[in-house]
Amino acid sequence: MGTALVYHEDMTAARLLWDDPECEIECPERLTTALERLQQRGLEQRCLQLAAREASEAELGLVHSPEYVALVRGTQALGTGELQTLSGQYDAVYFHPSTFHCARLAVGAALQLVDAVLAGAVRNGLALVRPPGHHSQRAAANGFCVFNNVAIAAKHAQRQHGLHRILIVDWDVHHGQGIQYIFEDDPSVLYFSWHRYEHGRFWPYLRESDADAVGQGPGLGFTVNLPWNQVGMGNADYVAAFLHVLLPVAFEFNPELVLVSAGFDSAIGDPEGQMQATPECFAHLTQLLQVLAGGRVCAVLEGGYHLESLSQSVCMMVQALLGDPAPPLLGPMVPHGSALESIQSVRVAQGPHWMSLQQQGVAPVLSPSPHSPEGRPSSLLLTGRPEFKAAATQDVAALSSLLDQPRLNPTPPVRTAVALAAPDAALALPSDVLCEEGSAPQEETQAWARPHEALAQDRALTALGKVLYLLDRILDGQVSSGIAVTPACAAAATLDVAIRCGLSHGAQRLLCLAVGQLDRPPDLTDDGRNLWLNIGGKEAAALSMFHVSVPLPGLPA
Ligand code: Q9C
Ligand code: ZN
């Protein structure tokens, strides 16, 4: 399962024919330079190369009005003066006699990519196109965009492939207001955009680009805007936005396809964006998206005006699509205060619509943890969601009845099964993680770390039964993920059984990730079928390449 690269040389034909400093940055070299770099690095050759086709007028009609399509068709026959006059009727747009052809190729490229991915010919891909699309509206060109490539691709995926949930990730530095308008009342398309906003003082100066624009009617919560109010946002800010806004919402949405409005004017050096993210960041963002929708990621170029930064960023994205490891992100990875404020404002605005965002900044809802002096919740997952709380005190029977609840469209109520052995989840969390700096009362610590033997055995067996039940449901495809709590003293034994059970019940390869120390290392086969990662474990040495332990400074040895 490979990566498609969709392109057509004809898309370099359109260019600015008069003097306009605002529009001159959208030039043919954007495509030629990026493509040359892909060839130089041997990346183009590793892709399935597809020649873009023109979209039909019926396909353009999925989003645009017939009158607008006719108007753009008419520009083919206009002289330079007439083109300039027409261009002046739109905001930041230029037309060229080849614009109609190029713009139809750009849409066609996006459609071919979606078709290739949904037919299973490739896992993912990139359409290298111009003109870009995300500012274009039903009956208007805007911001260099003529037809809305990604919006049409989403409609096409719904009509021709019967998809019900599509995620659009718009990491271009500008707000794709065109996409937002087209899907604002549509819960089947989740639109996420971050963008330079500066409290409304940056183009396109729209009130509806702010975090409190969350969609309308049935589409409430399916527009997610993350406005950057300062320039200079970098790798840490972008990764934080993914980890704390996009990915929680996207997991809950559970898309069947991810479309990326892949603008690279959000990268360092770009004159429009004035941001600081390095090209490597886009490899990481691409990797993070590939955990969604079975890896079906279709990226379509939007902006990106610094030729060197654009080309490097495109290469990084294609490398990640091909499955190459992402280069490490350099720098301290500390988000800006302004970025955290933005992230917080989106989480507050979207909180009513997404369970996965509801546990933050709401101290009264979280049961205060007796183990952490800062009041930091010991387990966000277990305290935030009402159905998790309900499940916590019940047994396997109640768990399965939860799983049997009718699934709401588009978001299933339970995609994660929870099985807790102890009446209080916190009781069973590893004591050496919770009791840092002796902050917990001594006698309670001892009660958790060394419970009465008979009780411990009983709890451990109950916990093991639930873990195995979860594993079975996951392996037979009924449950996507699960959480189980086991007494700390039984963790290694539970893992032993779970790993063996997983491997003998159909798992080909198993990743086991442990945070903190176990009472003993698990008993592992070393045949490459399980990879053991222990963060905060005892020794730094790798016992084998499949057994990796990474101690953390500050954790008790
Ligand atoms: N200095 C895309 O990136 N000019 N379009 C804004 C602010 C318009 C950008 C002027 C920028 C359009 C696809
Ligand atoms: Zn842009």
Side-chain angles (χ1 to χ4, degrees), residues 57-398:
E57 298 218 1
E59 287 166 337
L60 301 178
L62 290 170
V63 159
H64 299 285
S65 72
E67 299 75 19
Y68 174 67
V69 173
L71 181 143
V72 180
R73 191 194 313 118
T75 62
Q76 296 175 104
L78 299 183
T80 304
E82 297 165 306
L83 287 168
Q84 188 170 1
T85 303
L86 179 66
S87 302
Q89 297 179 14
Y90 298 104
D91 185 5
V93 169
Y94 69 88
F95 287 103
H96 180 274
S98 72
T99 291
F100 185 60
H101 178 52
C102 292
R104 282 176 66 180
L105 283 173
V107 174
L111 298 182
Q112 268 181 300
L113 177 55
V114 163
D115 286 340
V117 166
L118 294 179
V122 288
R123 192 204 315 283
N124 58 34
L126 170 67
L128 267 187
V129 303
R130 57 186 290 272
H134 71 153
H135 298 302
S136 144
Q137 297 148 42
R138 177 170 163 79
N142 181 278
F144 314 151
C145 301
V146 176
F147 298 132
N148 203 310
N149 310 320
V150 166
I152 298 170
K155 294 269 191 192
H156 171 85
Q158 297 180 319
R159 294 284 180 87
Q160 299 299 315
H161 299 276
L163 296 199
H164 297 107
R165 291 182 310 279
I166 298 171
L167 169 65
I168 298 177
V169 177
D170 188 342
W171 71 41
D172 186 282
V173 86
H174 301 97
H175 181 215
Q177 85 278 34
I179 301 181
Q180 175 169 314
Y181 298 155
I182 291 159
F183 297 111
E184 63 191 351
D185 60 359
D186 184 347
S188 69
V189 176
L190 171 56
Y191 176 62
F192 169 87
S193 173
W194 65 36
H195 33 268
R196 180 173 170 187
Y197 187 61
E198 297 177 295
H199 302 285
R201 288 186 284 270
F202 188 71
W203 190 91
Y205 315 106
L206 299 171
R207 179 66 188 82
E208 61 267 31
S209 304
D210 211 345
D212 60 355
V214 298
Q216 293 180 2
L220 270 179
F222 296 90
T223 295
V224 180
N225 281 330
L226 171 40
W228 300 124
N229 287 316
Q230 287 179 6
V231 297
M233 297 305 166
N235 298 344
D237 305 298
Y238 287 4
V239 170
F242 265 47
L243 295 185
H244 299 291
V245 178
L246 174 61
L247 290 176
V249 169
F251 274 114
E252 196 173 331
F253 180 64
N254 192 23
E256 301 156 312
L257 174 68
V258 179
L259 299 176
V260 186
S261 266
F264 297 99
D265 42 15
S266 46
I268 189 165
D270 192 279
E272 276 288 310
Q274 304 285 327
M275 297 300 179
Q276 292 285 333
T278 59
E280 294 75 25
C281 191
F282 295 94
H284 288 266
L285 300 183
T286 303
Q287 261 184 2
L288 289 171
L289 292 183
Q290 289 181 77
V291 304
L292 300 163
R296 288 185 288 269
V297 174
C298 295
V300 181
L301 182 67
E302 299 279 1
Y305 308 100
H306 185 286
L307 297 183
E308 178 62 22
S309 180
L310 167 67
S311 308
Q312 286 192 30
S313 300
V314 165
C315 286
M316 285 296 156
M317 179 174 205
V318 170
Q319 277 185 335
L321 290 173
L322 285 164
D324 292 357
L329 292 179
L330 304 176
M333 291 305 285
V334 179
H336 291 91
S338 168
L340 294 177
E341 278 177 29
S342 294
I343 287 169
Q344 178 68 358
S345 72
V346 191
R347 292 179 57 107
V348 167
Q350 298 288 345
H353 309 293
W354 299 99
M355 278 194 300
S356 52
L357 299 181
Q358 277 163 17
Q359 78 278 22
Q360 63 85 50
V362 279
V365 174
L366 294 164
S367 31
S369 164
H371 325 300
S372 54
E374 327 81 51
R376 181 167 48 85
S378 55
S379 172
L380 293 173
L381 271 174
L382 296 173
T383 49
R385 303 174 62 153
E387 77 277 19
F388 282 0
K389 270 190 183 161
T393 52
Q394 293 166 20
D395 60 8
V396 173

Side-chain angles (χ1 to χ4, degrees), residues 22 31 55 92 133 177 227 247 269 326 360 367 378 418 454 476 506 523 532 539:
E22 189 179 29
L31 288 191
Q177 85 278 34
L247 290 176
Q360 63 85 50
S367 31
S378 55
V418 179
D476 68 18
D523 181 19
W532 167 253
E539 64 276 312

